[in-house]
Amino acid sequence: MDIGLRIFVVSVLIATVAAEVYIVTMDGDPIISYKGGENGFEATAVESDERIDTSSELVTMYARHLERKHDMILGMLFEEGSYKKLYSYKHLINGFAAHVSPEQAETLRRAPGVKSVDKDWKVRRLTTHTPEFLGLPTDVWPTGGGFDRAGEDIVIGFVDSGIYPHHPSFASHHRLPYGPLPHYKGKCEEDPHTKKSFCNRKIVGAQHFAEAAKAAGAFNPDIDYASPMDGDGHGSHTAAIAAGNNGIQLRMHGYEFGRASGMAPRARIAVYKALYRLFGGFVADVVAAIDQAVHDGVDILSLSVGPNSPPTTTKTTFLNPFDATLLGAVKAGVFVAQAAGNGGPFPKTLVSYSPWITTVAAAIDDRRYKNHLTLGNGKMLAGMGLSPPTRPHRLYTLVSSNDVLLDSSSSKYNPSDCQRPEVFNKKLVKGNILLCGYSFNFVVGTASIKKVVATAKHLGAAGFVLVVENVSPGTKFDPVPSAVPGILITDVSKSMDLIDYYNVSTSRDWTGRVQSFNAKGSIGDGLAPVLHKSAPQVALFSARGPNTKDFSFQDADLLKPDILAPGYLIWAAWCPNGTDEPNYVGEGFALISGTSMAAPHIAGIAALVKQKHPQWSPAAIKSALMTTSTVIDRAGRLLQAQQYSDTEAVTLVKATPFDYGSGHVNPSAALDPGLIFDAGYEDYLGFLCTTPGISAHEIRNYTNTRCNYDMKHPSNFNAPSIAVSHLVGTQTVTRRVTNVAEVEETYTISARMQPSIAIEVNPPAMTLRPGASRTFSVTMTVRSVSGVYSFGEVKLKGSRGHKVRLPVVALGHRR
């Protein structure tokens, strides 16, 4: 018997305390890093960036061995029926998830062979014109054979809320035939009602993971679907952004809003549903989904998911079952894109921390939907509304919802929201423009613009106006498609202009009852987008750095986010029964915002890079995306970020690397970056081992590896960015570049920094043959202590036109 299991059988009473889900990691290597040593089991470890051969008998035997050990320790410690094992994790981490009492969890924590016991915690969703904005049809897709080959044979795995397989964005008929995918071995679940597979030749894998959700009592099969079916909308949306078919007609309410396409329209989709509409998800289910996705052979993982709160049993942001599993995924050669989080514009709001993950911030692209309301007094009030106009050259009577009620008792329904047509006098509304109030109910989702549209339609209104009278910080207003002319006035001062005009124009009797409605207005055409040159901009909600190394929020020596991609008002597929956005219930497409939308842009673009460079590591792909990104907007100015002013109004400020990382993605340049900053598993371990405050014991618990301190300082990790959170005096960091171009090239190296820190590079130039690697150093010296970060960059300019840029951030301290 394994020494870790030479333990006494402990008699444990069934606990009276309610059981909870715990994630347990065990002694012994998972498949990805097992180098042999256990009797009868040969090595299964892979080199850095190498796939797991899941068809190998060695892998299958060792997987069974690990699962038996998990079952054995539970069986030896606890009485049968007093616990439930939910998952065995074998490929990326060695451990299991179990539903046990807190006392049983404590017994496990003390048991020989157990390295860590983490109470499960919740995750949440981090809730098309962008191919053209990013230059894909003209600059990128042609290099890979056109849109009908873009992403060919690349499998993108989505850990999300499932998929609506009947959507045209995921159809495989009427398309060029797909070839075989020998490297992907995922399963396809059947719809429990129709008994039809969720897969076609486009969707190659579809599974769902809900054991932890069920154990926690959160899962409702009638609402959440015990299948890969998307009950939310979010999963279908993210999958379509990354890999949806090209040229899908986007029609709503009889109007066409263009044609939708994914970034890599020929890539295959593998679905690993672990998020659900009412409660989000649980880490134990998400870890099981990631473990399965890597086992199955996905090339890219798209994660629009982040933790609700820090884990309870670990202080380090980089070390927990979730991040450790993703480290294993990257070791297996899988590129991981994760949404940065939606906690912006406030600092240190990121929910994606680790160097092996590509953390994606959200940008506003150049397309805006604007509209206007023209009043009878000639004033024009700006607003937003994706709707047709009222009839031209005609003014309509304005009627306030509170003035057209059937009786006052209906006020218990908050009639100003215009959610219930039956409370209004149809005779007074018909043919007029209905004025409604945009209350807090719209912010929390208990009221929707979709229902306002239905109310206006039912009453025969000529149109509607939603009036915002006060704004809470964090409120975001998105235009919603409408078949009825409608507009949302988001500027409070403009709303006051409308209210004042209405009150002056409306005559009332001594009781306040309206005698005559004399206010007039007309609604403009909001269907056509307005293209802005001041794009891209960092979206207000996009989470900001600095990155943190622990849950005391101490700064890390690693820049996050990594990159910026479109995440505001993104058109993509939706699930008709999806409820994530109340305005799109029953629709086939949705226009929504979030870093959730930005991450699949990067996942899809990474698929295009991997298609062109199939041997590149995840770090090489990440480097190509980052070093070729841009910090200049379409008007030629430095990128700006949305931020709150002192009066809590939204304004624009000069953006920094804590807003956008390296910059906004530039897909065509990423295909030919010239140089890459590569890194592998040992480099990630070196980063962890040299980060102050992380114990070698904690690192070994999650990686089964002894620490190597050759890196000396985490800032020496070979990232395509430089961050020094505690610069005292002078510090030198090193970087190693590899020439991935097909020709020799000479690079001149320069650097600049804000005045409080001096910066120098050495050597000033270097020549690299194809495939050759060279090291250069960057030395920073504190000139003055300002108490705030200084920003700068290192540029490598090639003799054959390649341009490589690294952002630099540093905080100077006194000796």
Side-chain angles (χ1 to χ4, degrees):
M1 186 184 286
D2 186 290
I3 191 167
L5 293 176
R6 285 182 196 150
I7 53 179
F8 294 103
V9 177
V10 181
S11 173
V12 179
L13 294 173
I14 297 175
T16 55
V17 180
E20 296 182 273
V21 177
Y22 291 84
I23 300 172
V24 180
T25 58
M26 301 280 292
D27 270 341
D29 287 306
I31 288 165
I32 198 165
S33 52
Y34 172 60
K35 296 179 179 176
E38 295 205 29
N39 287 341
F41 299 100
E42 293 184 37
T44 59
V46 299
E47 296 300 317
S48 189
D49 313 316
E50 184 187 344
R51 283 186 196 279
I52 301 170
D53 180 8
T54 53
S55 62
S56 154
E57 184 64 24
L58 296 177
V59 168
T60 306
M61 286 174 60
Y62 186 63
R64 285 196 203 110
H65 167 66
L66 291 180
E67 187 153 5
R68 279 196 300 269
K69 285 173 72 174
H70 303 160
D71 294 338
M72 197 181 301
I73 191 168
L74 285 165
M76 294 177 74
L77 287 173
F78 310 123
E79 289 180 5
E80 190 175 348
S82 70
Y83 67 90
K84 183 181 181 184
K85 190 188 78 170
L86 307 177
Y87 299 107
S88 270
Y89 306 126
K90 309 175 287 282
H91 302 99
L92 309 178
I93 59 173
N94 173 21
F96 56 87
H99 192 229
V100 296
S101 70
E103 288 86 352
Q104 288 172 316
E106 195 53 45
T107 301
L108 277 166
R109 197 172 273 116
R110 294 195 302 266
V114 170
K115 297 194 322 191
S116 67
V117 178
D118 292 274
K119 185 178 169 184
D120 196 9
W121 68 106
K122 274 189 165 183
V123 295
R124 64 179 182 271
R125 301 173 295 275
L126 300 169
T127 296
T128 264
H129 165 80
T130 47
E132 286 75 22
F133 178 68
L134 295 170
L136 297 177
T138 53
D139 301 332
V140 178
W141 291 346
T143 67
F147 73 84
D148 51 358
R149 295 292 181 199
E152 187 79 68
D153 295 337
I154 304 296
V155 180
I156 305 178
F158 297 89
V159 178
D160 214 297
S161 66
I163 198 161
Y164 182 65
H166 314 299
H167 199 282
S169 290
F170 313 125
S172 57
H173 56 275
H174 306 311
R175 303 269 157 190
L176 280 173
Y178 283 101
L181 271 180
H183 76 274
Y184 183 76
K185 299 176 175 64
K187 296 194 290 270
C188 289
E189 292 182 23
E190 288 184 346
D191 187 309
H193 302 294
T194 66
K195 304 304 178 189
K196 289 184 178 177
S197 171
F198 274 88
C199 294
N200 53 30
R201 291 182 294 278
K202 172 78 172 174
I203 303 171
V204 293
Q207 300 170 63
H208 83 288
F209 301 81
E211 294 306 314
K214 290 173 185 174
F219 186 84
N220 181 341
D222 295 331
I223 296 172
D224 297 311
Y225 304 120
S227 77
M229 177 63 78
D230 188 357
D232 179 278
H234 191 271
S236 301
H237 200 270
T238 56
I241 290 169
N245 289 327
N246 180 61
I248 302 303
Q249 190 178 47
L250 208 163
R251 271 184 91 76
M252 284 183 73
H253 311 307
Y255 299 100
E256 188 170 328
F257 294 99
R259 291 184 178 269
S261 174
M263 301 295 102
R266 189 68 175 170
R268 311 298 176 92
I269 292 168
V271 177
Y272 299 87
K273 177 179 171 180
L275 300 182
Y276 297 87
R277 63 165 79 174
L278 293 181
F279 57 86
F282 292 86
V283 170
D285 290 329
V286 171
V287 167
I290 295 167
D291 192 68
Q292 188 65 49
V294 176
H295 167 274
D296 292 346
V298 301
D299 300 291
I300 313 281
L301 265 176
S302 180
L303 298 174
S304 293
V305 55
N308 279 7
S309 58
T312 55
T313 50
T314 177
K315 299 189 189 73
T316 306
T317 51
F318 314 122
L319 285 175
N320 55 72
F322 179 73
D323 283 76
T325 301
L326 290 176
L327 175 57
V330 171
K331 187 182 182 188
V334 177
F335 175 91
V336 179
Q338 185 185 13
N342 294 342
F346 308 106
K348 297 189 180 183
T349 47
L350 296 158
V351 297
S352 175
Y353 317 97
S354 297
W356 45 90
I357 298 167
T358 301
T359 302
V360 189
I364 299 171
D365 68 14
D366 61 345
R367 183 196 56 204
R368 319 284 160 82
Y369 287 100
K370 295 188 175 181
N371 206 342
H372 62 273
L373 172 70
T374 303
L375 300 179
N377 61 7
K379 267 195 177 179
M380 192 178 283
L381 307 181
M384 60 172 64
L386 245 171
S387 79
T390 50
R391 287 183 183 175
H393 315 300
R394 181 177 168 186
L395 292 175
Y396 292 80
T397 300
L398 306 180
V399 297
S400 169
S401 55
N402 289 320
D403 290 330
V404 291
L405 298 174
L406 284 171
D407 64 70
S408 58
S409 67
S410 57
S411 61
K412 64 185 178 185
Y413 299 121
N414 193 9
S416 66
D417 285 354
C418 297
Q419 301 294 289
R420 301 169 64 94
E422 65 271 20
V423 306
F424 298 110
N425 186 330
K426 189 170 184 177
K427 290 179 182 176
L428 294 177
V429 177
K430 189 173 182 180
N432 298 326
I433 293 176
L434 180 62
L435 305 184
C436 309
Y438 191 94
S439 70
F440 189 66
N441 293 335
F442 287 89
V443 179
V444 297
T446 55
S448 70
I449 296 176
K450 186 180 179 72
K451 284 188 177 176
V452 177
V453 174
T455 297
K457 213 171 184 179
H458 182 85
L459 297 172
F464 67 88
V465 179
L466 271 166
V467 181
V468 177
E469 294 184 61
N470 50 63
V471 181
S472 307
T475 304
K476 66 184 178 73
F477 301 105
D478 292 347
V480 174
S482 165
V484 176
I487 186 170
L488 172 65
I489 308 292
T490 58
D491 186 321
V492 174
S493 65
K494 299 283 192 295
S495 295
M496 292 302 111
D497 287 345
L498 170 57
I499 292 166
D500 290 344
Y501 167 68
Y502 178 81
N503 287 336
V504 167
S505 305
T506 303
S507 59
R508 303 174 186 272
D509 63 19
W510 64 275
T511 66
R513 188 183 296 272
V514 173
Q515 291 182 313
S516 61
F517 295 99
N518 300 312
K520 306 286 183 182
S522 64
I523 297 169
D525 186 353
L527 293 173
V530 178
L531 300 182
H532 279 248
K533 281 192 173 178
S534 60
Q537 297 167 354
V538 181
L540 184 72
F541 57 80
S542 187
R544 310 298 212 260
N547 192 16
T548 53
K549 66 182 180 181
D550 57 34
F551 293 108
S552 303
F553 292 97
Q554 292 189 67
D555 293 6
D557 292 299
L558 178 74
L559 178 64
K560 290 281 179 175
D562 292 307
I563 198 160
L564 185 67
Y568 178 72
L569 298 184
I570 305 299
W571 276 115
W574 198 247
C575 179
N577 53 3
T579 57
D580 188 35
E581 291 282 342
N583 288 315
Y584 294 98
V585 173
E587 304 294 352
F589 293 92
L591 179 72
I592 56 177
S593 305
T595 53
S596 276
M597 284 66 249
H601 277 90
I602 293 300
I605 295 165
L608 300 176
V609 177
K610 189 168 182 68
Q611 181 189 12
K612 185 172 181 183
H613 305 284
Q615 301 308 313
W616 279 12
S617 68
I621 296 171
K622 178 180 178 179
S623 171
L625 294 168
M626 288 178 65
T627 61
T628 58
S629 61
T630 180
V631 292
I632 306 296
D633 70 15
R634 289 292 173 89
R637 298 172 303 202
L638 290 171
L639 290 182
Q640 294 180 296
Q642 289 187 330
Q643 185 56 262
Y644 286 125
S645 68
D646 294 339
T647 61
E648 294 187 349
V650 177
T651 186
L652 287 171
V653 299
K654 182 182 173 185
T656 76
F658 291 146
D659 304 319
Y660 56 67
S662 60
H664 192 274
V665 65
N666 179 351
S668 62
L671 294 178
D672 180 22
L675 301 175
I676 57 165
F677 295 77
D678 210 351
Y681 188 68
E682 293 299 324
D683 300 294
Y684 299 126
L685 291 177
F687 171 83
L688 293 172
C689 293
T690 55
T691 295
I694 306 181
S695 73
H697 175 73
E698 190 178 7
I699 293 167
R700 194 167 185 189
N701 273 357
Y702 284 102
T703 66
N704 292 291
T705 309
R706 291 184 182 278
C707 263
N708 182 330
Y709 299 96
D710 291 348
M711 192 176 285
K712 296 180 181 173
H713 193 278
S715 294
N716 289 324
F717 170 70
N718 203 41
S721 60
I722 295 172
V724 182
S725 64
H726 197 90
L727 179 63
V728 178
T730 296
Q731 183 174 330
T732 298
V733 300
T734 58
R735 288 293 182 271
R736 186 173 181 82
V737 292
T738 301
N739 182 7
V740 291
E742 295 176 353
V743 291
E744 181 176 280
E745 193 163 5
T746 298
Y747 285 85
T748 56
I749 311 176
S750 61
R752 63 182 184 84
M753 200 81 182
Q754 289 174 328
S756 59
I757 290 175
I759 188 168
E760 294 178 359
V761 291
N762 186 50
M766 56 189 183
T767 301
L768 294 96
R769 295 189 303 277
S773 298
R774 290 281 303 275
T775 298
F776 67 92
S777 63
V778 180
T779 300
M780 287 173 280
T781 303
V782 178
R783 282 177 171 157
S784 61
V785 176
S786 63
V788 295
Y789 272 90
S790 295
F791 304 108
E793 63 182 14
V794 174
K795 282 186 174 178
L796 295 91
K797 190 173 181 182
S799 56
R800 295 182 179 273
H802 289 110
K803 293 176 183 175
V804 178
R805 186 180 51 80
L806 282 81
V808 181
V809 302
L811 181 59
H813 290 260
R814 288 188 175 86
R815 290 183 182 276

